[in-house]
Amino acid sequence: MSPKTLYDKIWDAHLAHQAEDGTCLLYIDRHLVHEVTSPQAFEGLRMAGRKVHAPDKTIAVPDHNVPTTPGREDPANMTEDSAIQVAALDRNARDFGIHYYPVSDIRQGIVHIVGPEQGWTLPGMTVVCGDSHTATHGAFGALAHGIGTSEVEHVLATQTLIQRKAKNMKVEITGRLAPGVTAKDITLAVIGRTGTAGGTGHVIEYCGEAIRDLSMEGRMTVCNMAIEGGARAGLIAPDEKTFEYVKGRPHAPKGAQWEAALAWWKTLYTDDGAHFDKVVTIAAEDIEPVVTWGTSPEDVLPISARVPGPGDFTGGKVEAAKRSLEYMGLEPGTPLTDIKVDTVFIGSCTNGRIEDLRAVAEVVKGRKIAEGMRAMIVPGSGLVREQAEVEGLAEIFTEAGFEWRLAGCSMCLAMNPDQLAPGERCASTSNRNFEGRQGRGGRTHLMSPAMAAAAAITGRLTDVRELM
Amino acid sequence: MDKFEKLTGVAAPMPMINVDTDMIIPKQFLKTIKRSGLGKNLFDEMRFDDEGRERPDFVLNRPQYRNAEILVTGDNFGCGSSREHAPWALLDFGIRCIVAPGFADIFFNNCFKNGILPVVLPQAQVDMLMKDAEKGANARMTVDLDAQTITTSDGEVIGFEVDAFKKHCLLEGLDDIGLTLEKAAAIESFEARAAAERPWV
């Protein structure tokens, strides 16, 4: 048998049907659902008189719209259209008999944080969700990717997706990260190198010593942004850390089933000599703490750099850089550390896990945020929030001057009331710096939680290593 | 889904790379539980100023392109979120075909589910079509899916590739779910096999 990649193995294990022209039906083990991309899909089922094919494999949670302030269980505290979407998910979950974590449940949170936390996400699975950051679950060695609403309806009705196999891409991070450099810096540095279309048509497998050294939280951060690199999915082969994380979670297998699962999971790695269509290698030692300066996630630079000018680019990127600089209100040549910020957002499916909050606490402990700074920390789930309170992190945050919020997507995409006003500038741990992403006219700089914490303290983009 | 067979219409030039789905339809318009009515907010922040007035220089606000049915644009169009609201907004505005050197994966798939044809061409050919589109309302292109060709206003013919299954579905306006349910037996036998091999799932 010819050697296979991890992606090949998971793909082969889920191929339900292959037509003569190569079109495949891929079986889906877990379907995660949220309130924004699902109402039209459930409506489609109703109109066709169809049921959910596998309600036990379908898990729903409201996250995009929900306010992160107290009293949010009361629909009167949501905008009318948000309340309608959340109410529609309530009703669809009930009517179709799928698993559901309502806003009032402590397990509620961002769908990509809830899935792993509850043990729904397991190695070797196929996981989809009507959300591009489904790539997050790849950290477990699960083939996980975002789908549109028509595909959501297709999975609800058939538990399969019509697919063609993607190509294999390997991203290897050799060596060890320096202190102050994190998983977020890895994933941004990769996108900075390959561009936002670098992974188009591919599934990325991340490997190398620096990836193996990451915690599960860090691995989720890396895979989460595979989509910003254009890839359909990101994958990391499961290992002892993965099994340790999964073991004992509410929906993880137990007893004899655990042993059987473990035996299969241990076969989930890329065979020696397997073919990759594209290979990128980066030395961990070459990665510094990074930030974005522009309006595409590929606009990445080390914090020690200066704002580039259009002349630093070629092709379509020249005009794109001009537009970005104007939108961002930046002059070429400005040291990145001279850029002042007025808002700090810490949270999102990229960086809303407990390890992220610990990293923030380490920087801000005993310090105060800069005067006039609006700084909020939005935990990724109710359980992350609870954990942070038990560990005393919440107290550190509030003493430093941060707002300590309830779980949700919040200012990552600003569909709830947490938004930037025009011209406001935010140091953000989220995943997209697109124009208007965090609010019309708002300016976003992406970075790690530790870097965002440092910016909150100094009031400008800052190399966190100066505060360590 | 409406069929896509042959389309002759005005092509609007949008020479930008990395047009993301937040640009195509900003998030404040995702709070709908319907598929229709999103065209009026297509490219909202580029099309309208802070007071909601049209920006006259934006391509789809210019008189010659207000009824455009084809969009010629830069690489990596549709990057970002999985929101199908992006193709819904384009379709509702009247765009049925998008030509670019490359598309983001999820957006590309979403187009086919909604009767929109995304065409990938080499940069040089996109540049040529961009020039043609810049001629304005008189520059009408013809996109023929069956023949897999685009004919410029000057009569120049460019061929393009398209996945055979996706082409078939677009030409016939087929519903994917109906097609898959015809393979219910294959799905059931897969489920039986998987339940035996991986009972923990």
Side-chain angles (χ1 to χ4, degrees), chain B:
Chain B
M1 181 175 89
D2 286 344
K3 289 181 186 182
F4 187 109
E5 294 167 303
K6 195 172 180 176
L7 165 71
T8 298
V10 171
M14 198 172 177
M16 280 174 73
I17 61 166
N18 297 335
V19 172
D20 60 68
T21 53
D22 279 81
M23 279 182 188
I24 298 171
I25 185 81
K27 70 262 167 190
Q28 61 267 36
F29 307 109
L30 309 187
K31 296 184 183 191
T32 172
I33 55 172
K34 296 189 193 132
R35 284 179 157 95
S36 55
L38 288 163
K40 62 180 187 292
N41 303 110
L42 176 70
F43 295 119
D44 194 83
E45 291 177 13
M46 294 199 270
R47 220 165 121 203
F48 306 105
D49 66 16
D50 293 347
E51 275 76 49
R53 288 176 305 229
E54 282 191 4
R55 299 183 200 268
D57 53 340
F58 182 68
V59 60
L60 297 180
N61 289 334
R62 290 160 62 190
Q64 59 270 45
Y65 298 116
R66 296 183 84 92
N67 296 312
E69 291 173 90
I70 301 164
L71 198 61
V72 184
T73 185
D75 197 14
N76 201 28
F77 188 86
C79 60
S81 114
S82 67
R83 59 187 71 164
E84 201 160 318
H85 308 69
W88 293 338
L90 286 158
L91 184 69
D92 195 54
F93 180 87
I95 303 289
R96 292 296 307 277
C97 175
I98 306 163
V99 182
F103 293 87
D105 261 352
I106 305 175
F107 176 84
F108 187 73
N109 269 329
N110 284 343
C111 283
F112 284 99
K113 313 286 182 195
N114 291 283
I116 297 175
L117 174 65
V119 176
V120 181
L121 287 174
Q123 186 71 52
Q125 292 185 319
V126 173
D127 291 345
M128 193 190 99
L129 292 175
M130 192 75 73
K131 277 212 176 71
D132 197 41
E134 280 162 3
K135 291 179 190 165
N138 293 328
R140 293 164 68 83
M141 296 182 192
T142 297
V143 183
D144 186 335
L145 177 57
D146 191 37
Q148 295 182 211
T149 57
I150 297 178
T151 308
T152 67
S153 61
D154 299 328
E156 193 147 348
V157 179
I158 295 174
F160 61 85
E161 296 296 318
V162 58
D163 177 272
F165 175 75
K166 290 188 166 102
K167 175 181 176 178
H168 172 67
C169 291
L170 264 191
L171 282 172
E172 304 295 331
L174 293 176
D175 161 28
D176 278 352
I177 297 176
L179 286 176
T180 298
L181 287 174
E182 289 172 10
K183 303 185 184 86
I187 296 171
E188 273 168 33
S189 76
F190 175 88
E191 284 179 321
R193 202 164 67 239
E197 287 171 4
R198 296 190 295 276
W200 60 86
V201 173

